Amino acid sequence: MAPPTPRLVIPIDLKKKPWEQKLPLHNRWHPEIPPVTEIKTGEMFRIEMVDWTAGAIQDNNSAIDVKTVDLSTVHYLSGPIRVVDTDGNPAEPGDLLAVEICNLGPLPGDEWGFTAIFDRENGGGFLTDHFPRATKAIWYFEGIYAYSPHIPGVRFPGLVHPGIIGTAPSKELLNIWNERERKLEETGPQSLKLCEVLHSRPLANLPSTKGCILGKIQDGTPDWNRIANEAARTIPGRENGGNCDIKNLSRGSKIYLPVFVEGANLSTGDMHFSQGDGEVSFCGAIEMSGFLELKCEILRNGMKEYLTPMGPTPLHVNPIFEIGPMEPRFSEWLVFEGISVDESGQQHYLDASVAYKRAVLNAIDYLSKFGYSKEQVYLLLSCCPCEGRISGIVDAPNAVATLAIPTAIFDQDIRPKVNKVPLGPRLMRNPGIPQCTYDGNLPITKNPLLHQQGSSCNMDASS
């Protein structure tokens, strides 16, 4: 007997706003956001999702939507979903929720996505001091493959995955998040050396009523203002899972999520067709609307059994992820190294973030020799199936990070060779990419050596 068709528990109408959906979406974490539906363990169910901006970014040749996007509203999540066992008993705090990804993909009829660089004054990104201008690339899907008219000469298979999947925090855990993130935002610039090198701001996205959507809790009701002022933003990953952006979390994968509230209150969203390790441009995957078909099990007392708290309370735990067998196969890679020495030549002590930044910059500079603008390469490295690694973290003073790029995604040979570097056969046909001006006055990081030589440094968007 064939298995039943997965039950659609959260439908999406792309013509409607998030709060107009049959089951309203939410964009915050809070234990009091009520579930919109219920599922039983063992049943396969289907969830549909808008893209993380709910259609704010359009399929066109302008980046003004990226420059002006309201980031107080993201991410839009489908859920929460209450999970009970076959006897109707809900998941309880201390359990583990095992979530299996059985199937997933773009929403039928909406087979396209986008990758973007946010304006430095509105979101920024890992290399925002080099690339401060809002920039966008549109991607179209041909089966498992993605291609872009804005980054010609590349085509690669996508590894579709949800950027966000997580359970609701308890009130105690929510208070822990808010306290530590508020302290970071208030004291971080004076205490963290990384702030000299990583320029994205703010350091933490604290609770805010602006742009807040709380599912079934309507704006103007007695509880809305209190919950909106407490609810955590969905930007970072945390103990509940959340925005982990694990690019290999595709078909056949399992996620073991801690349960902090009765029913678990599972939510998901931020679907990606493909992503590079690190999602470095921030809006860096191929963002899309999509669907998940899932199956859940409850591991009673699983948190105590399988998770070890790394902090002052039993709540300081992290999920476990079991990666499925479905991945693109590449056999040849070009690998770029970075060490913990920043662009000014300053030495940092075993700093993997600085090392990875250098690896990405090295890859961007190299690939721009093959006919691409550096903005095109930055976007490409954010969304193509490249592999980031911490290769060394013990040999003081330098951490070593690497970025491996599959050479097969290009329509030309990008390896170093004796002859002069050629230009790609199609790259020069459409050298433009949707981009806005940067109207701020923050300093742009340049390559000091090229600057001294009087050359224009293409490593930033001012060149």
Side-chain angles (χ1 to χ4, degrees):
M1 184 176 179
T5 301
R7 180 167 66 97
L8 178 60
V9 298
I10 301 182
I12 287 294
D13 183 345
L14 292 177
K15 297 179 181 179
K16 294 183 177 180
K17 301 293 185 183
W19 52 90
E20 297 172 339
Q21 298 294 329
K22 180 179 180 181
L23 299 177
L25 309 184
H26 65 103
N27 60 9
R28 300 291 194 269
W29 295 115
H30 196 283
E32 294 181 50
I33 298 176
V36 297
T37 189
E38 180 178 290
I39 64 97
K40 286 189 175 182
T41 56
E43 74 163 312
M44 193 181 300
F45 59 97
R46 181 183 174 107
I47 306 170
E48 296 181 343
M49 291 156 282
V50 297
D51 79 75
W52 76 301
T53 70
I57 308 303
Q58 298 292 306
D59 178 7
N60 58 31
N61 289 314
S62 171
I64 192 65
D65 49 7
V66 174
K67 183 173 182 175
T68 60
V69 65
D70 182 0
L71 294 177
S72 72
T73 64
V74 297
H75 305 77
Y76 288 104
L77 304 182
S78 293
I81 299 170
R82 176 180 168 89
V83 182
V84 301
D85 63 23
T86 53
D87 295 324
N89 301 310
E92 297 288 351
D95 293 342
L96 271 187
L97 184 67
V99 183
E100 180 179 357
I101 299 176
C102 303
N103 195 17
L104 73 177
L107 277 185
D110 202 40
E111 291 90 356
W112 71 279
F114 61 90
T115 307
I117 302 168
F118 286 131
D119 187 276
R120 189 171 180 180
E121 310 290 334
N122 186 31
F126 191 47
L127 304 181
T128 193
D129 56 318
H130 290 266
F131 300 96
R133 298 166 66 180
T135 310
K136 179 172 76 176
I138 299 298
W139 298 85
Y140 301 113
F141 310 148
E142 294 178 329
I144 66 169
Y145 290 94
Y147 71 94
S148 173
H150 298 131
I151 311 178
V154 296
R155 183 174 184 262
F156 51 83
L159 188 58
V160 179
H161 61 278
I164 295 180
I165 187 164
T167 52
S170 63
K171 188 63 183 299
E172 181 184 358
L173 182 58
L174 180 65
N175 290 339
I176 290 171
W177 293 353
N178 288 339
E179 180 180 353
R180 73 189 183 197
E181 292 176 19
R182 185 171 288 108
K183 182 178 180 181
L184 173 68
E185 175 63 18
E186 292 172 352
T187 65
Q190 290 76 43
S191 62
L192 297 178
K193 292 183 179 179
L194 266 183
C195 292
E196 305 168 16
V197 182
L198 302 182
H199 295 265
S200 288
R201 297 292 185 273
L203 297 180
N205 292 275
L206 302 179
S208 171
T209 59
K210 183 178 185 294
C212 183
I213 304 293
L214 298 175
K216 289 184 173 181
I217 303 175
Q218 297 296 313
D219 190 358
T221 58
D223 287 334
W224 189 91
N225 195 65
R226 173 183 60 82
I227 294 173
N229 277 291
E230 298 171 348
R233 297 295 307 277
T234 61
I235 303 297
R238 299 185 182 92
E239 286 85 349
N240 69 326
N243 194 22
C244 297
D245 287 323
I246 298 174
K247 70 178 178 62
N248 305 82
L249 205 64
S250 193
R251 192 177 285 107
S253 297
K254 276 189 177 181
I255 309 101
Y256 299 90
L257 293 165
V259 176
F260 300 105
V261 300
E262 183 184 285
N265 286 3
L266 176 71
S267 297
T268 186
D270 189 27
M271 286 294 289
H272 298 163
F273 188 81
S274 177
Q275 180 200 295
D277 278 335
E279 198 186 12
V280 288
S281 78
F282 187 17
C283 186
I286 299 180
E287 311 285 349
M288 67 175 194
S289 64
F291 73 90
L292 285 173
E293 292 177 357
L294 306 175
K295 188 167 62 174
C296 292
E297 297 294 339
I298 299 171
L299 282 62
R300 297 296 183 184
N301 300 311
M303 285 178 61
K304 183 177 180 181
E305 188 74 22
Y306 294 106
L307 304 182
T308 301
M310 295 292 177
T313 77
L315 303 178
H316 286 80
V317 294
N318 294 100
I320 298 172
F321 302 89
E322 180 181 344
I323 300 303
M326 308 294 288
E327 292 189 359
R329 292 182 296 178
F330 297 106
S331 59
E332 296 182 349
W333 305 75
L334 206 58
V335 181
F336 295 88
E337 180 193 61
I339 60 174
S340 49
V341 177
D342 66 31
E343 297 93 314
S344 71
Q346 180 181 351
Q347 179 73 62
H348 297 260
Y349 179 70
L350 295 179
D351 195 319
S353 294
V354 174
Y356 197 59
K357 186 180 182 186
R358 283 291 305 274
V360 176
L361 286 170
N362 288 340
I364 290 173
D365 191 73
Y366 178 87
L367 290 174
S368 69
K369 302 177 189 297
F370 291 83
Y372 295 101
S373 73
K374 294 191 177 183
E375 288 83 1
Q376 285 175 315
V377 182
Y378 185 25
L379 289 168
L380 178 63
L381 296 182
S382 293
C383 68
C384 78
C386 55
E387 302 279 346
R389 296 285 187 273
I390 298 175
S391 300
I393 202 67
V394 295
D395 297 316
N398 277 328
V400 176
T402 56
L403 181 66
I405 303 168
T407 58
I409 71 174
F410 297 93
D411 68 355
Q412 60 177 311
D413 186 354
I414 63 165
R415 295 172 298 177
K417 53 188 69 69
V418 174
N419 297 327
K420 187 177 180 180
V421 173
L423 294 179
R426 295 207 300 266
L427 300 185
M428 302 311 292
R429 292 184 184 174
N430 185 5
I433 191 168
Q435 192 169 56
C436 294
T437 59
Y438 172 59
D439 304 321
N441 56 11
L442 294 171
I444 308 303
T445 303
K446 296 180 180 289
N447 183 320
L449 180 60
L450 292 181
H451 187 64
Q452 292 168 10
Q453 293 173 343
S455 301
S456 174
C457 177
N458 284 341
M459 210 175 277
D460 61 77
S462 65
S463 58

